[in-house]
Amino acid sequence: MTTDFLSLDELHCKVHALLETLYPNRDTDELTKACLDAIGPRQNKDVVAPERLWSEKDSLLITYGNSVREAGHKPLDTLQNFLHDNLQNVFSAVHVLPFFPHSSDDGFAVIDYTQVDPELGDWDDINALSHDFKLMADLVINHVSSQSLWFRNYQYGKDPGRGYFVEADPNYDLSNVVRPRTSPLLRKTETAEGIKHVWCTFSHDQVDVDFRNEQVLLEYLRIIGRYLDEGAQWIRLDAVAFLWKELGTNCIHLPQTHDVVKLVRLLTEYKNAHALLISETNVPNRENLTYFGNSNEAHIIYNFSLPPLVIHALLAGDCSYLKSWMMSMPPSPVGCTYLNFTASHDGIGLRPAEGLLSDGELQQMLGTLESFGGRISTRTDAEGNEKPYEANIALFDAFKGTYNGTDKWQVERLICSQTIMLAVEGIPAFYIHTLFATPNDEDKLEATGHNRSINRRNWSLSDLQARIDEPGGPGQRVFDELRRLIRLRSHQPAFHPNATQFTLHIRPEIFAFWRQSMRRTQSIFCIYNLSDQPQEVSLSDLNLISTETWFDLISDQPITDLYGKITLSPYQALWLTNYNEPL
């Protein structure tokens, strides 16, 4: 339910209650008013029914502002022109990864949240993108750059910044703190008050802010208000799981973190009823699901277990682990949904596969990805051991072959993986390099020394155009087919993000599930051959209703014998349906 169903008094009451829990020693009446002032004036007073927050027409493109470059042009201009010419009628939403001045991590060490990186463009360019697409912006909420004004002021004991950062005694036992890196947690820092040790979950250039200080909360509410005013509609809460720190705890998923997310949702919906919060929590599946709350935290959560399980299934030719996970996944709550993806600017997260893939299966998958040119990044666990955290590889090269080695089916495996993602419950999200079948960027990896650079290529527009125009080349084949499939999906009510999903049981080489539209006007049986051999499927196993006409959406071929058999080529997908809406 959105806050538009609440009276202003009810909104005040809910905000007040959360603030009273988070900041019990503050004047909560005054702080409630300050929060409403910080988020800024309302943009609309619409009433949005939960099922209308998104539809089968929604799909998301993930890109850096400079993923495509052209000499003499601002990167954001080049990006907008490319999207307008090639993808405007394909994607409904675009996630432009952090586009702010930054000092490291390709944007995730933000120097100034209020400015667009001048090397990319300006706020007018961001606003122009928001007119063509729903725009997702990153709220890097856990940390800021060590070169930010806040951190410099902290060092000099000035406002704003004084009291904004988490300090800890280096002699305190912090070994139980969960974090995704191997670097030391604390950074030694000179300040006007002497040497301090500040908390750095990710790197010493990314210093964690202290939400125990209510002024930090107000700063981020102002930033959210600015993003919404500049045209962003979807707000991605980056690394939000680590937000609240309490000594003596593991400092991840703390109750206060969930309360901050609830508070942000209330205030964001108050400002704009169409605005959506997306939580980015690269953690084991059960932990990730908690960010739905009671339909009062994130509207959308990343489906982090999907990438490693889809990749495993296609490398192994076996859907057993993928199917078991899908059977265990709950339908998303009312007013919530999943964001499905198989590749991103980061690597393939491995923590979300914990408890889902056996150690043996995980090691075999990682060894295969390394043989295809991938790298493995690690984290340090509570015992001080290094453990695999993510696999860094371009998705196209992750599908160079199978556990048996490289083969000729690389393009087919990539398309199959995306066809799975398009059909699973939720909203599909495509990393821009998947569309082009971009291979590993070994040159950028060598230049930066950072594993994640392998999948963060910057294309020149001319080189990219040549790749997607090359007749019969992998770039053209993938680009054309994925655009066709995304458009095809957008006309199927059974692919509404909240439509019913039911897992089917055929055999390990065949992954299959059923989707039914919310008004029960359409069924789609999604069937995938995950192997490099032809596979036969008996249609009688699907129990297709004999009084209806069935056909395959992907090939546009009718099903003439509902009790016969279909042979699927290696990595072929079928979307069998009883419904046809002209494109």
Side-chain angles (χ1 to χ4, degrees):
M1 178 178 292
T2 71
T3 54
D4 294 284
F5 292 99
L6 301 175
S7 68
L8 195 55
D9 285 345
E10 290 173 319
L11 174 65
H12 272 265
C13 185
K14 286 179 176 291
V15 170
H16 191 282
L18 288 166
L19 292 172
E20 201 166 42
T21 300
L22 289 166
Y23 306 104
N25 299 320
R26 302 295 188 269
D27 183 334
T28 313
D29 290 331
E30 182 179 318
L31 187 53
T32 299
K33 182 180 183 304
C35 286
L36 289 168
D37 289 342
I39 200 70
R42 302 187 78 172
Q43 295 176 330
N44 59 57
K45 298 181 180 181
D46 297 343
V47 174
V48 183
E51 66 274 11
R52 298 184 64 84
L53 289 169
W54 40 71
S55 76
E56 61 274 13
K57 298 186 183 302
D58 282 310
S59 56
L60 174 73
L61 177 70
I62 304 166
T63 180
Y64 280 102
N66 61 359
S67 290
V68 185
R69 293 173 169 174
E70 184 179 15
H73 295 268
K74 293 184 293 184
L76 285 172
D77 273 349
T78 302
L79 176 66
Q80 183 176 19
N81 290 336
F82 180 83
L83 297 183
H84 182 275
D85 293 345
N86 296 278
L87 297 170
Q88 188 170 14
N89 296 319
V90 178
F91 291 98
S92 65
V94 172
H95 173 199
V96 181
L97 289 154
F99 45 78
F100 319 103
H102 61 277
S103 54
S104 63
D105 199 16
D106 285 342
F108 285 92
V110 178
I111 293 175
D112 186 350
Y113 293 93
T114 67
Q115 299 296 322
V116 174
D117 185 345
E119 293 189 6
L120 296 177
D122 54 33
W123 280 114
D124 286 342
D125 300 311
I126 294 296
N127 196 261
L129 273 170
S130 74
H131 289 129
D132 290 340
F133 303 92
K134 299 172 186 176
L135 179 67
M136 182 193 288
D138 282 283
L139 185 69
V140 185
I141 195 171
N142 179 73
H143 50 264
V144 300
S145 167
S146 64
Q147 297 180 31
S148 65
L149 175 65
W150 291 354
F151 192 67
R152 292 201 308 271
N153 281 350
Y154 161 78
Q155 290 177 289
Y156 288 108
K158 296 167 55 179
D159 292 322
R162 181 175 53 185
Y164 278 20
F165 297 92
V166 182
E167 300 173 351
D169 184 338
N171 296 314
Y172 193 90
D173 182 7
L174 298 170
S175 60
N176 63 335
V177 172
V178 173
R179 55 194 297 262
R181 297 291 187 271
T182 57
S183 58
L185 174 62
L186 299 182
R187 164 186 162 146
K188 186 177 180 180
T189 302
E190 291 188 18
T191 76
E193 297 178 356
I195 296 295
K196 301 288 185 181
H197 292 82
V198 294
W199 197 289
C200 299
T201 297
F202 292 92
S203 79
H204 283 190
D205 186 42
Q206 295 166 293
V207 190
D208 289 32
V209 293
D210 192 351
F211 267 82
R212 295 173 300 183
N213 180 345
E214 73 278 5
Q215 293 304 316
V216 171
L217 170 69
L218 294 175
E219 292 278 17
Y220 280 94
L221 290 176
R222 293 185 195 103
I223 293 165
I224 293 171
R226 175 69 183 273
Y227 289 2
L228 294 172
D229 288 338
E230 295 290 354
Q233 192 168 325
W234 295 10
I235 306 296
R236 177 182 182 269
L237 302 178
D238 177 68
V240 69
F242 304 98
L243 181 140
W244 198 279
K245 280 76 174 180
E246 289 288 344
L247 294 180
T249 74
N250 62 8
C251 297
I252 187 170
H253 314 311
L254 296 187
Q256 296 95 328
T257 293
H258 286 281
D259 283 345
V260 170
V261 177
K262 292 172 188 174
L263 182 64
V264 169
R265 175 160 174 169
L266 278 168
L267 293 167
T268 301
E269 288 184 334
Y270 159 76
K271 185 175 179 72
N272 185 335
H274 299 275
L276 302 176
L277 285 188
I278 296 89
S279 64
E280 190 269 336
T281 49
N282 189 358
V283 295
N285 193 50
R286 289 187 179 182
E287 298 172 31
N288 189 34
L289 290 170
T290 64
Y291 285 86
F292 279 143
N294 185 22
S295 295
N296 60 351
E297 294 189 35
H299 297 87
I300 303 171
I301 65 172
Y302 277 75
N303 220 341
F304 272 107
S305 297
L306 188 64
L309 291 176
V310 166
I311 291 169
H312 170 269
L314 285 161
L315 295 182
D318 185 338
C319 72
S320 300
Y321 290 94
L322 177 61
K323 183 174 70 172
S324 294
W325 164 78
M326 179 175 276
M327 291 171 61
S328 71
M329 285 293 284
S332 52
V334 174
C336 301
T337 195
Y338 298 104
L339 189 72
N340 296 320
F341 71 109
T342 52
S344 74
H345 60 289
D346 290 340
I348 300 155
L350 302 176
R351 289 208 70 208
E354 291 177 11
L356 302 175
L357 288 177
S358 67
D359 289 343
E361 290 287 348
L362 180 61
Q363 291 305 317
Q364 187 176 17
M365 181 176 79
L366 297 184
T368 301
L369 294 177
E370 285 184 297
S371 75
F372 297 159
R375 305 292 194 275
I376 308 302
S377 297
T378 60
R379 66 182 179 91
T380 304
D381 66 14
E383 287 72 43
N385 303 312
E386 286 195 23
K387 300 187 68 174
Y389 175 70
E390 66 183 19
N392 304 106
I393 190 169
L395 189 65
F396 182 50
D397 280 353
F399 293 130
K400 277 185 175 180
T402 67
Y403 289 163
N404 296 321
T406 58
D407 59 26
K408 64 179 181 180
W409 301 108
Q410 186 177 12
V411 166
E412 287 78 7
R413 263 188 296 271
L414 179 65
I415 292 173
C416 182
S417 73
Q418 303 311 286
T419 312
I420 291 172
M421 182 187 73
L422 277 165
V424 172
E425 177 191 348
I427 298 170
F430 291 78
Y431 186 40
I432 193 168
H433 291 302
T434 302
L435 297 180
F436 314 139
T438 302
N440 292 333
D441 192 339
E442 298 288 350
D443 292 340
K444 189 170 185 179
L445 174 65
E446 183 177 354
T448 67
H450 298 302
N451 285 352
R452 287 177 169 177
S453 295
I454 200 170
N455 194 26
R456 295 181 177 180
R457 183 183 295 265
N458 303 104
W459 281 102
S460 73
L461 182 60
S462 59
D463 288 347
L464 176 58
Q465 204 66 53
R467 183 168 182 82
I468 61 178
D469 287 344
E470 180 189 359
Q476 185 194 58
R477 291 171 62 193
V478 171
F479 191 57
D480 288 350
E481 180 64 0
L482 291 185
R483 287 189 299 169
R484 184 181 79 89
L485 289 170
I486 296 166
R487 289 189 184 107
L488 185 62
R489 177 192 185 274
S490 70
H491 292 269
Q492 316 309 321
F495 285 149
H496 186 286
N498 298 114
T500 298
Q501 178 171 286
F502 185 81
T503 311
L504 304 177
H505 304 274
I506 298 180
R507 57 182 179 277
E509 298 85 358
I510 299 294
F511 181 51
F513 53 93
W514 170 69
R515 302 292 306 277
Q516 184 182 59
S517 60
M518 298 169 76
R519 294 185 178 181
R520 300 185 180 181
T521 56
Q522 181 186 31
S523 289
I524 301 179
F525 290 86
C526 306
I527 305 168
Y528 307 88
N529 179 2
L530 302 184
S531 77
D532 57 6
Q533 300 297 317
Q535 298 290 330
E536 196 172 69
V537 174
S538 296
L539 292 176
S540 57
D541 292 341
L542 304 180
N543 293 320
L544 303 179
I545 299 173
S546 60
T547 57
E548 298 184 351
T549 300
W550 294 83
F551 70 102
D552 174 31
L553 280 165
I554 296 175
S555 66
D556 198 29
Q557 293 298 308
I559 305 300
T560 57
D561 182 0
L562 301 186
Y563 304 99
K565 296 180 179 181
I566 290 182
T567 299
L568 279 74
S569 303
Y571 307 107
Q572 183 182 353
L574 301 176
W575 288 346
L576 303 183
T577 188
N578 59 342
Y579 172 96
N580 185 19
E581 176 182 318
L583 298 183

